[in-house]
Amino acid sequence: MDRTWMVADRRSRQYKLGVTQFCKFALDNAKDPNHNCCPCTKCGNVDYFSASIIRDHLFVNGIDASYDKWNEHGEAILDSAADESTDDAAVDSYSHSSYSVNRNEIPDYELGLGSDADIESDECNEFRQFVDDANKPLYPGCDRHTRLNVLVRLYNLKAKHGMSDVAFSEWLIAFSEFLPVGNEIPASVYEANKTLSSLGMDYTKIHACPNDCVSYRKEYIDAIKCPTCGISRWKVGKNLKEREGVPAKVLWYFPPIPRFKKMFQSEGTCKSLTWHATDIKCDGLMRHPADATSWKLVDEKWPDFGSDPRNLRLALSSDGFNPHSSLSSKYSCWPVILVAYNLPPWLIMKRKHMLLTLLIFGPKQPGNDIDVYLEPLIDNLKLLWEGVSGVYDARQSEYFTLRGLLFWTINDFSAYGNLSGSIVKGYNACPICLENTKPTRLVNGGKMAYIVHRRFLGRNHPYRRQKAAFNNLPKHSPPPVPLSGEEVLHRVEQEVPKYRFGKKKSAPSLQGWG
């Protein structure tokens, strides 16, 4: 009889199936369903409980691994000389019982077996447990609120009012006392965090230089001073002493790949992510980014990527705002959000599908040094382009390799300059025209004016000949040709031969990129 589940991880599906089978086996052979030996590591077949309590004990304490013959739960006491033959008989009896499960009918990823699927099965098990918790009523007989619904609402109140962990734990205990017996309110912040972390909302705090020079990761992970400006990594108190262990600036990073995996573990979301290939109307009208030439260009240029509709096409959006007061400029917060354009148009911009990946905050905005904070996200996007294996598709019940590309960015003009490294003001403010921008400085205002925009009109447009209405000059020149992505990259490489993240020693050239 296969009893490897007894030594398996108690969080795995293999252990869960084993406990379920054991409890059913014990009930079928018990004289009193509410009076059974508990074989957990603490009870040791001495204490008697109902099957539901025994099941909880097996998950909390684990089963005694030495109890390999279930003679206290219905199995016959076997003779040592006949172990081999009687084991086969026990297997037959075990497999013909009412709760038997055919091992060949259960895939390896369901049981947590197989060297290639161990990690992925654990992730799926955690997500399944999270879904089960989400569907649990708050207390027996409650049909209005679920465990997860109430937990998220309480957690939002904790964050909104700055409640400490100790106060929140005591609040949870007091709140549960006013509910009926058997309610699902967690007893501590630890249990609440454990439930919410199954959603894939883990984050990483990355220390950064207050002057936005570097982030303390990779080769700088153990540094205590900025290698560029020499400022300490730690916060300086009012007495001008360093508070070691308290970072001066912190980047909050929410890895997107685990959340993409969770999206494919939901059958409904998995179907929505392939909507653009199955349900879109091909009538020449623009209803979705899949109808755009950019989408089709990707399919033509990388056919391997376009052949699987599950591969993600992402948009990145970022902008700064002041979360405290619109009249104060002493604080800045920059969220960086990813959006998957595989979804149908009525779901793309829904709040639940907009993934926060970075949160940059401090007394000043990062400006052009935002690339310091984008580095971990760029590393994840590169990994996503190469392919992330072991992603489980709940709709097709299979594992596949997920790929993704950054399709475009969404931002205003100033944020565009910060994200791209392009000059967006002064003599070469136009990222299309670059050195052909041809601005004119106003005599009285001293600012730049861009009045050669008539060159973008048709060759025979009447405005091209109206000299007096503009700058007293006719405009016959054609519009400039935009640079391709390869040409922009070539200019960047010319400006910075070995490009690196962080502050640059020199300003970008008048070519506009660098």
Side-chain angles (χ1 to χ4, degrees):
M1 185 183 299
D2 181 16
R3 300 185 183 180
T4 56
W5 65 269
M6 297 173 64
V7 294
D9 190 338
R10 278 177 278 164
R11 299 171 298 176
S12 67
R13 186 169 179 79
Q14 180 188 6
Y15 188 84
K16 182 178 180 181
L17 286 175
V19 169
T20 302
Q21 294 167 2
F22 173 82
C23 290
K24 290 182 178 179
F25 180 81
L27 282 176
D28 289 344
N29 293 276
K31 296 180 180 179
D32 184 356
N34 295 319
H35 195 71
N36 294 296
C37 295
C38 179
C40 75
T41 55
K42 289 188 176 181
C43 298
N45 280 324
V46 175
D47 297 328
Y48 291 80
F49 301 101
S50 64
S52 60
I53 295 178
I54 292 175
R55 184 179 184 275
D56 293 339
H57 281 203
L58 294 179
F59 279 111
V60 175
N61 304 325
I63 191 170
D64 184 2
S66 62
Y67 182 53
D68 55 352
K69 302 299 181 185
W70 299 342
N71 54 322
E72 298 289 341
H73 294 85
E75 279 190 347
I77 299 177
L78 303 177
D79 217 351
S80 58
D83 276 352
E84 186 175 350
S85 60
T86 52
D87 259 353
D88 294 336
V91 171
D92 292 337
S93 173
Y94 186 67
S95 61
H96 284 88
S97 61
S98 59
Y99 60 87
S100 65
V101 179
N102 187 350
R103 171 63 183 82
N104 295 327
E105 295 176 357
I106 304 177
D108 287 343
Y109 63 82
E110 290 286 349
L111 294 176
L113 303 175
S115 58
D116 295 333
D118 287 343
I119 298 177
E120 292 78 17
S121 63
D122 288 342
E123 292 178 356
C124 294
N125 293 335
E126 290 180 4
F127 188 71
R128 289 192 186 98
Q129 184 63 43
F130 180 83
V131 174
D132 293 341
D133 291 342
N135 294 327
K136 282 183 180 179
L138 180 61
Y139 53 85
C142 178
D143 56 356
R144 293 186 58 189
H145 305 290
T146 63
R147 180 178 190 264
L148 182 64
N149 181 21
V150 175
L151 180 57
V152 170
R153 187 167 182 179
L154 294 178
Y155 215 92
N156 284 338
L157 291 176
K158 174 187 182 298
K160 181 178 180 180
H161 299 288
M163 190 179 297
S164 66
D165 288 351
V166 176
F168 188 62
S169 294
E170 295 181 359
W171 187 30
L172 290 174
I173 295 173
F175 186 60
S176 65
E177 292 177 354
F178 292 99
L179 295 176
V181 178
N183 65 78
E184 295 291 339
I185 295 295
S188 64
V189 177
Y190 172 77
E191 292 183 16
N193 290 338
K194 189 175 180 181
T195 300
L196 294 177
S197 65
S198 300
L199 185 59
M201 286 296 293
D202 292 337
Y203 62 87
T204 303
K205 290 183 179 180
I206 302 175
H207 299 176
C209 172
N211 292 331
D212 307 322
C213 300
V214 297
S215 59
Y216 293 98
R217 57 191 300 269
K218 294 183 177 179
E219 67 269 24
Y220 302 128
I221 192 170
D222 296 323
I224 59 175
K225 288 187 177 180
C226 175
T228 303
C229 66
I231 290 182
S232 174
R233 175 177 184 168
W234 312 119
K235 191 173 184 178
V236 179
K238 294 182 179 179
N239 55 359
L240 302 181
K241 290 185 178 180
E242 294 181 3
R243 300 170 59 184
E244 187 173 350
V246 181
K249 193 168 186 178
V250 177
L251 165 70
W252 291 60
Y253 177 53
F254 304 85
I257 292 180
R259 285 183 282 172
F260 289 142
K261 289 184 177 181
K262 295 293 189 298
M263 292 171 70
F264 282 97
Q265 290 173 12
S266 169
E267 291 188 21
T269 306
C270 193
K271 181 180 179 181
S272 297
L273 287 169
T274 57
W275 176 91
H276 64 91
T278 57
D279 298 331
I280 195 171
K281 293 183 179 180
C282 300
D283 54 4
L285 299 179
M286 184 71 178
R287 292 188 175 91
H288 188 267
D291 298 318
T293 55
S294 301
W295 191 290
K296 298 172 184 177
L297 179 63
V298 170
D299 293 341
E300 294 175 1
K301 196 168 185 178
W302 297 285
D304 292 341
F305 180 90
S307 61
D308 192 342
R310 295 173 294 192
N311 290 332
L312 299 174
R313 314 196 188 209
L314 307 171
L316 183 145
S317 177
S318 179
D319 202 357
F321 69 96
N322 188 338
H324 300 302
S325 172
S326 59
L327 301 178
S328 173
S329 59
K330 295 182 179 180
Y331 200 87
S332 174
C333 183
W334 277 69
V336 179
I337 297 171
L338 282 181
V339 181
Y341 272 83
N342 296 48
L343 296 165
W346 55 88
L347 292 179
I348 290 177
M349 290 301 174
K350 290 291 184 181
R351 184 177 177 181
K352 64 179 180 179
H353 293 303
M354 300 176 69
L355 306 184
L356 177 67
T357 57
L358 296 172
L359 194 59
I360 312 164
F361 57 88
K364 61 180 181 178
Q365 64 177 10
N368 288 338
D369 298 321
I370 195 174
D371 59 342
V372 172
Y373 305 100
L374 291 174
E375 185 179 3
L377 177 58
I378 292 174
D379 290 343
N380 262 207
L381 291 176
K382 288 181 178 178
L383 178 62
L384 195 60
W385 170 251
E386 294 172 358
V388 178
S389 60
V391 179
Y392 181 66
D393 185 334
R395 193 181 181 203
Q396 301 184 23
S397 300
E398 65 178 10
Y399 286 96
F400 72 102
T401 299
L402 176 65
R403 297 181 63 191
L405 62 80
L406 186 61
F407 209 43
W408 48 49
T409 61
I410 306 171
N411 40 256
D412 59 20
F413 199 53
S414 58
Y416 169 83
N418 298 142
L419 291 170
S420 66
S422 172
I423 296 174
V424 292
K425 57 185 178 181
Y427 287 95
N428 298 324
C430 179
I432 303 298
C433 303
L434 297 177
E435 61 269 14
N436 295 318
T437 301
K438 297 183 173 22
T440 300
R441 185 177 292 276
L442 299 178
V443 177
N444 297 322
K447 294 186 176 181
M448 294 292 182
Y450 309 95
I451 55 177
V452 294
H453 48 276
R454 288 182 292 164
R455 57 183 169 176
F456 291 94
L457 299 174
R459 294 292 298 174
N460 298 319
H461 199 282
Y463 280 0
R464 281 183 174 267
R465 298 187 295 273
Q466 293 180 8
K467 297 186 292 184
F470 295 97
N471 58 353
N472 291 320
L473 294 173
K475 181 55 60 180
H476 302 297
S477 59
V481 179
L483 295 179
S484 64
E486 289 80 4
E487 292 171 333
V488 171
L489 181 61
H490 179 66
R491 290 197 177 202
V492 172
E493 291 174 345
Q494 280 186 330
E495 181 67 27
V496 186
K498 189 176 181 180
Y499 187 80
R500 63 178 180 84
F501 291 93
K503 287 186 179 292
K504 315 300 184 297
K505 293 184 178 180
S506 60
S509 68
L510 293 180
Q511 291 181 339
W513 297 90

